[in-house]
Amino acid sequence: MNKMTFFLAFCLFQMTWSQNIEISYRVKFRPQKENHFMRIEYSLLKVNGLNSEYIPAKKMNDSLKIDETYLNFIILQDISQLKYYGSFNDLQFFYHEKPINNWVIIPNSAGVHNNYKTQQAKIQLDGRNWIATFTSDISISKGPYKFQGLPGLIIEIHSEDQDYSFEMIGLKHTKEEKNLHLENYKKIEKKKLQLYISEFLKDPASKKLFLKNSYGDTFDY
């Protein structure tokens, strides 16, 4: 079997296996680098064939429901690109990125995690080194956040500095489809967004400040 035939067969198998799959993750992270406090939130990865949605969630009464969280962003991903949707101050934005594909499989890393046969891989992303545990028992080449491209589902991944970790806590088939209402988000280049945030942090008083509290009240300054 040549490489192209193998790739097409893998894509067909993945599309068949992964129709409307929902994977839930527990996310543990450090909000402030200088503070040892770790926060826990939840997220959902919804997979339909080669497409996926990564969205925030909140654990309520032993179920996961969409809600506002500290990590309040959405990532839509297909085989050729990802779209990152987020907000900063009063700017609702999205930008495009190429999916990552520079994984390095860690030799002699085979193991078992929650009855799944696993292997580990490492990668550099967003200024951090990451180690992922994935399983080819679940033939979905996806994972939390921007992570994808391994020959199996990522069931756990953490940064080497221990500031972030994602762990799968559930997987189920679902028929539920919801509109994410992303019509008001404006496309922006990632470099321009980084410049906008950098300038705002240098002198917040020079720009309009938009605040929103946990009750949904908004304030302009």
Side-chain angles (χ1 to χ4, degrees):
M1 182 182 291
N2 60 41
K3 290 184 178 180
M4 180 58 69
T5 304
F6 176 82
F7 175 74
L8 293 174
F10 175 78
C11 289
L12 178 61
F13 181 74
Q14 176 167 293
M15 290 176 68
T16 301
W17 198 96
S18 60
Q19 291 291 324
N20 298 316
I21 302 295
E22 183 179 280
I23 303 107
S24 52
Y25 288 92
R26 180 187 294 111
V27 188
K28 189 176 181 180
F29 63 99
R30 193 189 315 276
Q32 294 179 316
K33 186 70 176 178
E34 65 279 3
N35 195 322
H36 293 296
F37 169 74
M38 301 296 290
R39 181 181 173 92
I40 295 177
E41 293 189 2
Y42 299 88
S43 60
L44 298 177
L45 175 65
K46 296 188 174 185
V47 181
N48 188 340
L50 298 176
N51 300 323
S52 65
E53 300 174 359
Y54 182 73
I55 56 180
K58 184 176 181 180
K59 193 171 185 181
M60 299 175 62
N61 300 324
D62 297 324
S63 64
L64 291 174
K65 298 182 180 180
I66 305 305
D67 197 10
E68 283 199 342
T69 66
Y70 195 102
L71 301 176
N72 192 21
F73 57 85
I74 294 170
I75 297 176
L76 307 184
Q77 195 162 162
D78 59 28
I79 196 170
S80 62
Q81 69 175 359
L82 67 81
K83 292 182 180 180
Y84 182 105
Y85 291 81
S87 61
F88 181 82
N89 194 15
D90 59 348
L91 175 66
Q92 289 185 306
F93 62 86
F94 75 91
Y95 60 81
H96 291 180
E97 281 188 331
K98 291 289 185 182
I100 57 175
N101 59 4
N102 56 331
W103 291 99
V104 176
I105 303 297
I106 300 175
N108 303 318
S109 61
V112 177
H113 184 92
N114 291 338
N115 297 320
Y116 294 114
K117 294 180 181 179
T118 63
Q119 198 169 0
Q120 291 187 317
K122 58 184 179 180
I123 198 170
Q124 289 186 332
L125 178 69
D126 293 343
R128 285 185 166 87
N129 296 319
W130 301 83
I131 297 177
T133 300
F134 67 96
T135 178
S136 56
D137 291 347
I138 305 174
S139 297
I140 300 175
S141 184
K142 301 287 186 179
Y145 189 48
K146 301 177 183 179
F147 301 108
Q148 57 84 51
L150 285 167
L153 178 67
I154 296 174
I155 58 178
E156 192 275 335
I157 185 167
H158 65 272
S159 60
E160 287 187 343
D161 60 13
Q162 303 300 320
D163 282 352
Y164 287 88
S165 67
F166 303 78
E167 183 179 7
M168 185 182 79
I169 58 174
L171 183 152
K172 65 180 181 180
H173 291 263
T174 179
K175 295 182 180 179
E176 182 181 10
E177 294 184 6
K178 291 185 177 180
N179 189 338
L180 295 177
H181 302 294
L182 302 175
E183 300 84 3
N184 294 327
Y185 286 74
K186 305 300 182 182
K187 184 178 179 179
I188 188 172
E189 292 183 8
K190 188 176 181 179
K191 289 183 178 180
K192 290 184 177 179
L193 173 66
Q194 292 170 333
L195 180 61
Y196 172 84
I197 295 174
S198 176
E199 290 179 345
F200 180 89
L201 295 177
K202 287 179 181 177
D203 188 9
S206 67
K207 295 179 172 23
K208 177 182 177 183
L209 184 63
F210 179 81
L211 302 174
K212 185 176 182 179
N213 64 22
S214 59
Y215 298 99
D217 301 318
T218 57
F219 307 88
D220 291 331
Y221 173 76

